[in-house]
Amino acid sequence: MQPLLSVIIPVYKVEKYLDECVASVINQSYRNLEIILVDDGSPDNCGILCDAWAEKDSRIKVIHKQNQGLGYARNSGIDAAAGVYMTFLDSDDYVNEMMYERLMVTAVSNNSDIAVCGYNVISSTGEVRAYSDFLQPEVFEREDIISLSQDFIRHKGNLASHYEIACRAVFKRSAITARFLSEREIVAEDYHFQIAAVLCASKVSFIPDALFNYRYNSLGLSKTFSFDKYRKAPKLVSELNKLYKKYDMPHAGDYCMLMMTFTTIKQIYSVISDKSERKRLIKQMAENPVWNEIEISYSGLSLKEKLIYFSMQHRLPALLSYVMNFNYALKGLK
């Protein structure tokens, strides 16, 4: 008997993509699915579409709730789920028809708490690019788990992985020890959830096949520039460090602040043309009191990371602005 897999799909303002998303799940070769559509108070016709799908397939359960955001919508799905394993899918993305079968076979055969696959990025023009964390199947045992979790934060991988795995992994219920935090209070809430899951896992498996299809939306939640996102970054670092404190690594999450800083700087230079405004924002970043608490070893940093950390740690935003201007004049900081 195949273990039951709960697929949790938050739904909000995705009329254009919802049918393709749900169809890709109900047509899975892995049949023992529970599909939970969480209508997060969507103001369009998404709620009606969800109910229509539930009438077509008895495996579909619909939750209608007041809008609270992506994180809490996923939590509602977790609370309602009955599966031995769970996975998540954003309602503007879709999956290969073999994805859940491949992941579940991998998880069960390896006795893994988490199984992860590669992914495709679909551009607005329809261009498809495949990515994978590893070039061949990999299995991480317990002694490698903490190192793996740090790689997640540092975005390390053999290829250009962003290591956001919530929608391209299956999680054994016992590995889900944390709930999603609200993106209204914290940035990159996916990271906290997945780090908590990885840290408690006994085994994590990866397959290189690109089976998840991520639709790149330039106006999506994680793509639009807002300096307020950066203000939420210290809370993410704090929550990550709480997780790592159990392993006597209270500063293991600090690197995430560095990555958020680099991402924000790139966005500032991509979106804001006024030089004085760029300087003002970077100055604000350097003045954030979180840099009094961050502890990162220079030995493990690339040149660009050393530059950012040194500039922030020593409150030298002018130096960072100067170097960024120089590098962007040469088509970007590599």
Side-chain angles (χ1 to χ4, degrees):
M1 180 68 179
Q2 294 177 324
L4 179 64
L5 171 64
S6 296
V7 184
I8 298 168
I9 309 176
V11 178
Y12 186 76
K13 287 186 177 182
V14 286
E15 279 185 83
K16 181 179 178 180
Y17 304 115
L18 183 59
D19 284 346
E20 182 179 20
C21 172
V22 178
S24 75
V25 178
I26 67 171
N27 292 325
Q28 287 290 297
S29 58
Y30 193 88
R31 305 306 296 169
N32 195 20
L33 300 176
E34 172 189 54
I35 305 164
I36 303 175
L37 302 178
V38 185
D39 169 25
D40 190 29
S42 189
D44 53 13
N45 292 317
C46 281
I48 297 173
L49 293 174
C50 288
D51 290 336
W53 274 109
E55 291 179 5
K56 297 175 184 176
D57 195 311
S58 61
R59 297 174 297 172
I60 296 178
K61 177 190 301 183
V62 180
I63 299 173
H64 296 285
K65 62 185 293 295
Q66 182 180 358
N67 178 256
Q68 291 182 294
L70 176 63
Y72 288 165
R74 286 173 170 170
N75 290 341
S76 296
I78 291 173
D79 293 337
V84 178
Y85 286 83
M86 295 185 204
T87 188
F88 306 89
L89 180 61
D90 289 345
S91 45
D92 55 350
D93 299 325
Y94 60 100
V95 293
N96 179 286
E97 65 180 8
M98 294 288 293
M99 174 171 159
Y100 294 138
E101 181 178 354
R102 293 289 309 282
L103 286 174
M104 289 299 292
V105 167
T106 298
V108 173
S109 62
N110 290 335
N111 193 27
S112 293
D113 297 294
I114 304 170
V116 190
C117 68
Y119 61 100
N120 295 306
V121 174
I122 317 297
S123 74
S124 57
T125 61
E127 180 186 5
V128 180
R129 289 193 175 185
Y131 297 92
S132 181
D133 307 294
F134 300 96
L135 298 174
Q136 59 187 13
E138 296 281 353
V139 178
F140 289 85
E141 304 283 351
R142 182 63 210 168
E143 57 268 23
D144 301 315
I145 292 295
I146 291 182
S147 176
L148 174 66
S149 72
Q150 291 180 275
D151 286 350
F152 273 39
I153 294 176
R154 295 177 66 113
H155 296 202
K156 278 188 173 180
N158 289 350
L159 297 178
S161 169
H162 54 33
Y163 265 121
E164 294 170 357
I165 67 168
C167 293
R168 55 189 182 95
V170 295
F171 300 85
K172 191 177 287 186
R173 176 179 286 275
S174 58
I176 299 179
T177 58
R179 292 295 186 262
F180 285 92
L181 302 174
S182 171
E183 68 277 4
R184 298 173 182 178
E185 302 171 1
I186 196 170
V187 68
E189 79 288 345
D190 282 8
Y191 279 142
H192 177 266
F193 173 86
Q194 68 191 35
I195 293 299
V198 169
L199 285 175
C200 80
S202 296
K203 191 180 292 185
V204 180
S205 296
F206 287 83
I207 57 175
D209 309 72
L211 303 173
F212 168 64
N213 298 294
Y214 169 70
R215 198 188 305 275
Y216 182 85
N217 176 7
S218 60
L219 299 178
L221 188 65
S222 63
K223 307 299 178 300
T224 50
F225 173 72
S226 169
F227 197 68
D228 187 54
K229 292 180 183 178
Y230 188 74
R231 295 190 182 97
K232 298 174 184 176
K235 182 171 176 58
L236 172 62
V237 173
S238 174
E239 293 296 331
L240 289 174
N241 284 336
K242 286 178 184 178
L243 295 175
Y244 280 109
K245 192 173 182 179
K246 301 175 185 177
Y247 303 92
D248 296 321
M249 302 172 67
H251 290 278
D254 286 357
Y255 191 91
C256 202
M257 190 69 195
L258 194 58
M259 298 310 300
M260 293 289 180
T261 300
F262 182 60
T263 298
T264 303
I265 290 171
K266 287 200 297 184
Q267 289 180 326
I268 287 173
Y269 274 79
S270 298
V271 175
I272 298 173
S273 56
D274 183 78
K275 290 184 179 180
S276 61
E277 179 63 6
R278 289 176 181 172
K279 289 181 180 179
R280 186 186 71 82
L281 291 174
I282 291 176
K283 185 172 184 290
Q284 271 189 252
M285 294 168 70
E287 290 173 347
N288 193 313
V290 72
W291 295 106
N292 295 327
E293 305 167 7
I294 297 293
E295 293 183 13
I296 299 174
S297 170
Y298 275 92
S299 62
L301 303 182
S302 67
L303 179 59
K304 71 181 178 185
E305 293 164 349
K306 289 177 181 177
L307 170 65
I308 293 171
Y309 185 34
F310 182 85
S311 298
M312 294 298 167
Q313 188 181 40
H314 297 282
R315 307 297 193 273
L316 298 172
L319 171 63
L320 186 54
S321 295
Y322 174 81
V323 176
M324 290 298 291
N325 285 331
F326 176 77
N327 279 277
Y328 269 84
L330 297 176
K331 297 185 180 180
L333 186 64
K334 303 296 182 183

